[in-house]
Amino acid sequence: MYAFDEFDERLVRERVAQFASQVERRLSGALTEDEFKPLRLKNGLYLQLHAYMLRIAIPYGALNGRKLRMLAHIADVYDRGYGHFTTRQNLQFNWPKLKDVPAILSLLADVEMHCIQTSGNCIRNVTSDHFAGVAHDEIEDPRPIAELLRQWSSLHPEFDWLGRKFKIAVTGAAQDRAVLKAHDVGVRIVRDPASQKIGYCILAGGGLGRTPMEGKVLRDFLPREKLLSYLEAVLRVFNLEGRRDNKYKARIKILVHELGIDAFRARVEEEFAAIDSPRHDVDPREFARIAAHFAPPAHESLPAVSRRLEEAVAKDEALSRFVEHNLTRHKQRGYAALTISLKPIGLPPGDLTSRQMRAIADLAEKYSFDEARVAHTQNIVLPHVRLDDVADIFAILRAEGLGEANAGLITDIISCPGLDYCALATARSIPVAQALALHFADPAKQKEIGPLSIKISGCINACGHHHIGNIGILGLEKKDAESYQITIGGDPGDSYALGELLGPGLPAEMVPEAVDRIVAVYLAQRQSGETFIETYRRLGLAPFKSAFKEIADVVA
């Protein structure tokens, strides 16, 4: 894991002192809320419905035991004993008091964490594949590039006041687990077929929100050393030509759409050619220094099959389900990546109590080379687990209420905080997720349905990624009541797709029955081995829309 150097340490400490002074002036009345707002947003502090919300950066989702314990301490002392993990691999505390925020930031700095650029119109937290460095289909570990981009984008003077926020994701695997096409810029590590050299495929113009769009290929292959100079050119074109007259149009996806990808590419290439390239190129020594922090841990030489795990699975049905759904193949023989679901049936998705944070810290240190990852699916991954240890880990997780064997299944629901917390929300999303999880709680039913993602957003800003859920749910206000639109067919991966609307909005209490009807169509008409999304692509929207209409007509 990357460790702060003297520059990181000084930058974060100076920002803590600076913001402490700003908070002091706000509390004394020397700063008005209008004057304070842009300052607090630069430090991840939002003012939500009931209290301030502090968003903590977790670059590419990387955590260790020390960081988790500090988050648990902050949750206990300064919040309400829990935190919420987001689809940007960050963590949010929903109840901090303004007077306590400088103390929280100081504690975070003690463990090399901060809240810089987790809000505001700047380059946000760089995200990546939660199986980075582990995945068997990986060309190269993307974390060194993600860290390089974090350093490049942190307090970048030219891009500190963009028209709107800017999101970058990185992957090094054949399978896209980082949702590249939903980002302003996606960086994919690729190998040049001719030279076999490693470089990057650059995508641009993706995004969700009120105008969802799919990112397009800007460059098929970019040499490694040109990454920063090329992204500098992309950001410059966006900064210069992106709209600032309307905040809803001030995203790179709008600029790419209005210009067309070819014209946008031409402008980027023109800017790229004009850049003082040697000044911006990646220094191979610096890249090597960063990459050294991500060297693989000292795995043991183990057999591919664990007799100990096999015997335990044979005796424990719950463990068997956990192994089937929550374990992912590891590139190192005898190991697995283990997904800890933060979706216990009936509880808010993505939440973790301070006690559970400490339990995961213990597990990471004892069983996973002191590493844990936050996934954009609002789960936690232990990336380096010996197969021999899985049964012991599962027993601890189950005792802590974290043994849900539902990774990738219908109850592994992504949900934003919605109207329970968020000032932008127009409807609640957490209660809808809870009701759906309870409706499909039966493990046998979940297994029968198989892989199926449900994603819920409480407003059009789409923090719950509803556009790219196999089943997406969008909560809106309609005639002073909460109303939920349902889409199907969304896909965040390599076959990226935006969901299609089934019909008019429904009240919250009708959503589980509507999803049940949609799933019933799939179960009745799927062919052998087909997943939900594959059946949808074969059948099209019509049969699902017909089933949904029976529910919608009852409401009408």
Side-chain angles (χ1 to χ4, degrees):
M1 178 177 291
Y2 182 78
F4 274 12
D5 62 14
E6 60 182 301
F7 300 105
D8 294 305
E9 173 75 18
R10 190 171 69 190
L11 183 151
V12 171
R13 293 291 181 187
E14 287 180 353
R15 177 56 78 91
V16 172
Q18 181 188 52
F19 192 56
S21 171
Q22 293 162 351
V23 168
E24 185 179 341
R25 283 184 283 152
R26 173 64 187 128
L27 291 171
S28 73
L31 288 176
T32 66
E33 170 55 23
D34 286 343
E35 292 167 330
F36 182 59
K37 181 178 179 179
L39 303 176
R40 62 173 169 78
L41 288 178
K42 286 291 183 185
N43 293 278
L45 188 64
Y46 290 74
L47 188 53
Q48 297 285 45
L49 283 176
H50 314 293
Y52 284 99
M53 180 273 281
L54 186 64
R55 182 180 293 155
I56 298 164
I58 306 177
Y60 37 94
L63 286 171
N64 58 20
R66 187 165 165 251
K67 292 180 179 182
L68 277 162
R69 286 198 182 82
M70 181 57 81
L71 294 174
H73 172 74
I74 292 169
D76 281 340
V77 175
Y78 297 105
D79 210 81
R80 296 191 177 180
Y82 68 96
H84 174 77
F85 289 96
T86 76
T87 51
R88 286 213 61 73
Q89 299 179 310
N90 290 317
L91 180 129
Q92 296 178 176
F93 285 123
N94 286 307
W95 303 98
K97 294 181 174 60
L98 179 57
K99 68 179 181 59
D100 294 331
V101 172
I104 296 172
L105 296 182
S106 182
L107 290 171
L108 290 171
D110 289 345
V111 293
E112 302 181 355
M113 300 185 80
H114 59 77
C115 300
I116 299 169
Q117 294 185 198
T118 57
S119 57
N121 297 331
C122 54
I123 300 173
R124 299 286 187 90
N125 185 42
V126 177
T127 56
S128 186
D129 183 354
H130 43 274
F131 294 135
V134 171
H136 62 90
D137 64 340
E138 199 169 73
I139 295 173
E140 185 179 80
D141 188 341
R143 291 174 299 167
I145 287 301
E147 173 57 28
L148 181 74
L149 293 177
R150 183 197 71 82
Q151 296 186 20
W152 165 75
S153 62
S154 292
L155 305 188
H156 192 304
E158 194 171 338
F159 308 132
D160 204 31
W161 294 97
L162 296 168
R164 282 284 280 142
K165 57 189 172 184
F166 198 93
K167 300 176 180 178
I168 301 175
V170 186
T171 187
Q175 180 185 351
D176 179 9
R177 291 178 287 265
V179 203
L180 291 190
K181 291 181 179 178
H183 282 76
D184 296 283
V185 161
V187 179
R188 181 168 224 153
I189 298 173
V190 295
R191 196 182 298 277
D192 180 39
S195 66
Q196 291 298 299
K197 288 184 177 179
I198 286 180
Y200 309 102
C201 173
I202 307 296
L203 296 90
L208 299 176
R210 66 183 58 222
T211 313
M213 291 188 184
E214 177 179 349
K216 300 173 178 59
V217 174
L218 197 56
R219 263 268 192 150
D220 287 322
F221 185 82
L222 183 73
R224 185 193 292 280
E225 67 274 13
K226 297 298 181 186
L227 179 62
L228 296 187
S229 46
Y230 192 78
L231 293 187
E232 193 91 10
V234 173
L235 265 294
R236 281 185 182 180
V237 172
F238 167 57
N239 204 16
L240 286 168
E241 301 196 30
R243 292 176 59 172
R244 288 177 181 260
D245 60 319
N246 180 337
K247 74 174 186 177
Y248 302 119
K249 303 288 186 184
R251 299 294 296 268
I252 193 172
K253 61 186 176 185
I254 301 298
L255 181 62
V256 171
H257 176 71
E258 291 181 346
L259 289 176
I261 187 64
D262 292 336
F264 181 77
R265 182 186 297 115
R267 296 188 190 199
V268 170
E269 293 293 337
E270 183 181 359
E271 183 66 35
F272 182 48
I275 276 180
D276 179 8
S277 188
R279 180 168 166 266
H280 294 281
D281 283 353
V282 177
D283 182 341
R285 292 170 301 179
E286 177 61 9
F287 181 74
R289 183 190 73 82
I290 293 172
H293 288 277
F294 300 98
H299 295 112
E300 298 175 46
S301 179
L302 297 171
V305 176
S306 167
R307 300 297 178 203
R308 185 167 186 262
L309 179 58
E310 286 186 338
E311 290 171 5
V313 164
K315 299 174 185 172
D316 187 338
E317 187 179 343
L319 174 61
S320 176
R321 285 197 300 270
F322 185 78
V323 168
E324 180 179 0
H325 300 300
N326 292 40
L327 254 64
T328 299
R329 178 181 166 192
H330 198 291
K331 65 169 65 171
Q332 180 67 29
R333 197 174 60 177
Y335 284 81
L338 188 155
T339 297
I340 302 172
S341 171
L342 304 189
K343 320 292 172 53
I345 301 299
L347 295 179
D351 281 8
L352 200 63
T353 68
S354 58
R355 176 187 169 116
Q356 292 170 328
M357 291 179 195
R358 293 186 178 96
I360 294 176
D362 291 343
L363 292 173
E365 289 173 347
K366 185 174 181 179
Y367 295 108
S368 187
F369 296 94
D370 198 17
E371 277 194 54
R373 312 267 179 81
V374 183
H376 75 83
T377 51
Q378 296 178 299
N379 292 320
I380 301 285
V381 171
L382 296 177
H384 304 288
V385 170
R386 295 192 327 161
L387 292 175
D388 282 350
D389 295 329
V390 169
D392 294 339
I393 296 171
F394 176 65
I396 295 169
L397 289 175
R398 189 155 54 169
E400 297 293 340
L402 292 169
E404 202 67 54
N406 63 351
L409 300 180
I410 192 168
T411 60
D412 185 8
I413 299 169
I414 288 178
S415 171
C416 72
L419 200 54
D420 286 299
Y421 298 98
C422 181
L424 299 175
T426 48
R428 293 170 297 167
S429 48
I430 292 173
V432 175
Q434 291 172 298
L436 280 167
L438 289 167
H439 187 84
F440 291 99
D442 180 8
K445 185 69 173 179
Q446 292 187 59
K447 182 174 181 177
E448 180 190 10
I449 296 168
L452 195 163
S453 64
I454 295 180
K455 302 175 190 287
I456 307 174
S457 300
C459 77
I460 197 65
N461 291 298
C463 292
H465 292 185
H466 66 276
H467 295 297
I468 50 176
N470 295 165
I471 297 176
I473 300 172
L474 168 62
L476 296 168
E477 180 187 352
K478 186 177 181 182
K479 297 179 180 177
D480 295 327
E482 293 169 305
S483 176
Y484 295 86
Q485 294 181 349
I486 297 181
T487 55
I488 65 168
D491 189 334
D494 297 298
S495 301
Y496 186 89
L498 302 172
E500 295 186 81
L501 186 63
L502 281 175
L506 302 174
E509 61 271 19
M510 300 294 288
V511 171
E513 177 62 22
V515 173
D516 204 49
R517 298 287 183 100
I518 295 165
V519 171
V521 172
Y522 158 62
L523 293 177
Q525 301 201 37
R526 67 179 171 184
Q527 294 179 351
S528 178
E530 269 188 344
T531 63
F532 176 87
I533 193 69
E534 290 167 346
T535 299
Y536 164 77
R537 288 177 185 141
R538 178 173 55 81
L539 296 176
L541 189 64
F544 297 96
K545 197 164 188 172
S546 177
F548 178 83
K549 188 172 183 301
E550 295 174 11
I551 295 290
D553 286 348
V554 171
V555 176

